[in-house]
Amino acid sequence: MVCVIPGTEPESGEVIFSAHLFEGIAKQGANDNMSGSAAILEVARTLQTLISDGRLPRPKRSIRFIWGPEFAGISLWVKDNMAIMEKILCNINMDMVGSG
């Protein structure tokens, strides 16, 4: 799943927040990695609310949020979206943020 908060200057690049949804049947858990998935969902929701309410200006760079299965999911998205990847400045991967 992907969602984007469009920036005011799309040519200036993008920032990605990513999180995997689960590791498979053997290792499903609230921390690995439902905590990271929930964290970036809340970041997206909060930013969009603040922008929509006019309490935060729209960012210059677009912010993209990606959720998918670990390993195969996000890497397949990257391979299928190389044109977007050329504009990416960084990826902030949220994994097991509920730990410690």
Side-chain angles (χ1 to χ4, degrees), residues 12-18 61-64 66 84-93:
S12 67
E14 290 190 12
V15 172
I16 290 180
F17 282 84
S18 64
R61 295 179 174 94
S62 295
I63 305 172
R64 187 174 300 270
I66 303 174
I84 293 171
M85 292 306 298
E86 291 176 6
K87 300 185 306 182
I88 299 302
L89 299 171
C90 69
N91 175 34
I92 301 165
N93 184 57

Side-chain angles (χ1 to χ4, degrees), residues 40-95:
I40 70 167
L41 180 62
E42 184 61 12
V43 168
R45 187 198 68 76
T46 301
L47 286 174
Q48 185 58 49
T49 298
L50 292 171
I51 293 165
S52 295
D53 290 351
R55 294 185 282 162
L56 188 69
R58 184 164 296 282
K60 179 171 80 168
R61 295 179 174 94
S62 295
I63 305 172
R64 187 174 300 270
F65 300 86
I66 303 174
W67 296 265
E70 190 170 26
F71 305 118
I74 293 176
S75 62
L76 286 176
W77 184 90
V78 167
K79 288 179 187 176
D80 289 344
N81 293 279
M82 291 308 291
I84 293 171
M85 292 306 298
E86 291 176 6
K87 300 185 306 182
I88 299 302
L89 299 171
C90 69
N91 175 34
I92 301 165
N93 184 57
M94 303 295 277
D95 194 350

Side-chain angles (χ1 to χ4, degrees), residues 3-26:
C3 70
V4 177
I5 296 175
T8 58
E9 298 178 24
E11 67 283 352
S12 67
E14 290 190 12
V15 172
I16 290 180
F17 282 84
S18 64
H20 69 275
L21 296 170
F22 61 89
E23 292 191 41
I25 301 301

